[in-house]
Amino acid sequence: MSGLRLLTTTVVVGGLAVSAAYAQDYDLVINNGRVMDPETMFDDIANVGISDGRIAAISKQPLSGTETIDATGHVVAPGFIDTHYHAVDEFATKMALRDGVTTGMDLELGAFNVGEWYDEKAETGWQVNYGTTAGMIMARMAIHDPEAGLSEPTDYARATPYIAAAGADGVVGWSVTRSSIDQMNEVMQILDTDLKNGAIGVGVGAAYMARGLTSYELFAAQRAAANYGRLTSVHTRYHLIQDTPTEAPIAFDEIFTNAMLLDAPLLMAHNNDYGWWEIEEKLQMAREKGLNMWSEYYPYAAGSTPVSADFLRPAEWREKYGYRYEDTLYDPVDDAYLTDETYAALLESNPGRAVVVFFPYREEWMPYWLTVPHMTLASDAMAGVGEDGELLPWDAEYSDYRGHPRTSGTRGATFRMGREQGVPLMFTIAQASYWVAKHLGDTGLKSMQDRGRMQVGKVADITILDPLTITDNSGYKVGEHGTPTTGIPYVIVNGTIVVKENEVLPVKAGEAIRFPVEADGRFEAIEVNKWLNEHTIGVNPELVTIDVHDDSGAGALLDVEH
């Protein structure tokens, strides 16, 4: 290994292969820390040598290198990995780094024009490792709202003006319009192109298009990802609902059935509302059967979403759920709760504005989430905007941020709560890092097979934390939304120090998390005659007289002109 001038031998300590070094000259050395690896359960005071971006040695022997960190009294853990990370802008990423994040990927919303999205990140550089799914919301927007003009590489940081343009004609097509077969094929073609260009999977915000997305189109999207053996990350269509026949676990059953039949990986996006316990039980049973399925949570009783979210409209939020805007919807930019009038005005003027949504009943559930195996930690971090609603520059003050405190405090809050609750530290680290990497790695994503572990040969994405003091400091008051987590003095990305003594350095050490680009796509159009030939005994389409319009989407498939 270039840059490493030593002789090593390998011994086994606590089940972990550890290199004992007889020479020196590493790029970076972390001395005297409590090294913890959730995969092997290694937990001991040791020294870590890093060269060429990877862990080259974990040794009880003294090590030295070009740069040295004394980690006495601190835990040396695999870097935290976030799979629900809308913080795809410079300032929000800066906040996430202070919270220990080394890899941030938006697997829910995803991106549009994924190939060029990765190219842009590679050209500009990024402070943490970055990745994305193919975003179904934006793929549907491109087809159902052509007036929005969506063509450039687009992610959460760029989505707001497109959301506004899509609804300017009074119809938010991507959200409420059902796709014809031809339109469904066009959407799937977009997803397939993005998968061909390395997308981690497909992201489906079904809750935001519950009225427009048929069950068959959702099945088709999961199949598009499954064609490549990749995951679908789904914010389910009934996420907040506890009443039958639209209770939340039924929406999980929809995506679970598809994933099981397709033999495909599944990520349940933020399983932090009604029915979470049923869903976790089913996920545990699925994993016992060898299925690669898992979920996420964040430790807050409030969420955040664009004010134009379909479930916030009066017919749903006020009339169906019985909530009042002035009790539950907080605009962090204007520092005020919404009323019926201000909700309507904001919906008209800035439908992409993120608001904070309070769910007090979640308080009693949060302690349990910290103890569920394979329920991983994902912040749902929002964009780093200021008081004018625009993205902040990298060097802005943390107090300038206007948004949900989860962007800056998710890991700090979770480790604090775990400490207070007596949750084993190794378990919390696994939720924050290892289990994420394992499940993504099991989809075949090589870059995740090399992360989330403190082992020789693995990528040196490392978070150094004080287990006795790590805590969140952000809150819902203006000026406190972005207050950084404390107790994480160092964050290392690909062997490079990015946070040093609690200061984020202006270095861009992040690498792409993606699948290899493929020359050819795997898209197969849905064709009525082909479907009939495969799934019936051969009825002549010219003789079909059935006129079916149902809620499943299959009706559209069989609605043959005759």
Side-chain angles (χ1 to χ4, degrees), residues 364-442:
E364 63 181 273
W365 296 336
M366 288 192 294
Y368 299 110
W369 300 338
L370 278 70
T371 66
V372 181
H374 296 263
M375 195 177 191
T376 58
L377 189 57
S379 65
D380 203 352
M382 306 304 285
V385 301
E387 61 181 357
D388 58 359
E390 298 297 321
L391 294 175
L392 291 165
W394 182 86
D395 57 357
E397 298 295 328
Y398 292 110
S399 58
D400 292 339
Y401 171 58
R402 298 289 187 271
H404 199 299
R406 68 192 185 196
T407 303
S408 56
T410 290
R411 265 61 50 170
T414 302
F415 278 82
R416 170 185 56 78
M417 292 169 63
R419 180 176 64 242
E420 295 169 350
Q421 199 173 312
V423 178
L425 182 59
M426 190 72 84
F427 190 93
T428 306
I429 293 172
Q431 284 193 324
S433 183
Y434 168 62
W435 281 325
V436 188
K438 172 181 169 44
H439 286 294
L440 288 173
D442 286 349

Side-chain angles (χ1 to χ4, degrees), residues 97-117:
L97 276 163
R98 288 293 304 273
D99 203 33
V101 173
T102 58
T103 300
M105 301 171 286
D106 187 349
L107 303 190
E108 184 211 29
L109 178 66
F112 178 83
N113 197 341
V114 163
E116 291 188 20
W117 184 89

Side-chain angles (χ1 to χ4, degrees), residues 450-502:
D450 284 343
R451 289 179 166 84
R453 290 102 166 157
M454 284 300 303
Q455 298 172 23
V456 172
K458 300 300 183 183
V459 172
D461 287 346
I462 297 171
T463 298
I464 300 176
L465 60 100
D466 184 338
L468 302 180
T469 65
I470 181 174
T471 189
D472 56 318
N473 300 291
S474 53
Y476 295 103
K477 292 182 180 180
V478 166
E480 297 179 0
H481 299 166
T483 307
T485 289
T486 48
I488 304 179
Y490 286 89
V491 177
I492 297 161
V493 179
N494 295 302
T496 298
I497 297 175
V498 182
V499 177
K500 182 177 184 179
E501 297 178 353
N502 304 301

Side-chain angles (χ1 to χ4, degrees), residues 112-127:
F112 178 83
N113 197 341
V114 163
E116 291 188 20
W117 184 89
Y118 276 111
D119 290 344
E120 279 191 357
K121 284 285 188 290
E123 183 176 348
T124 63
W126 211 243
Q127 292 205 282

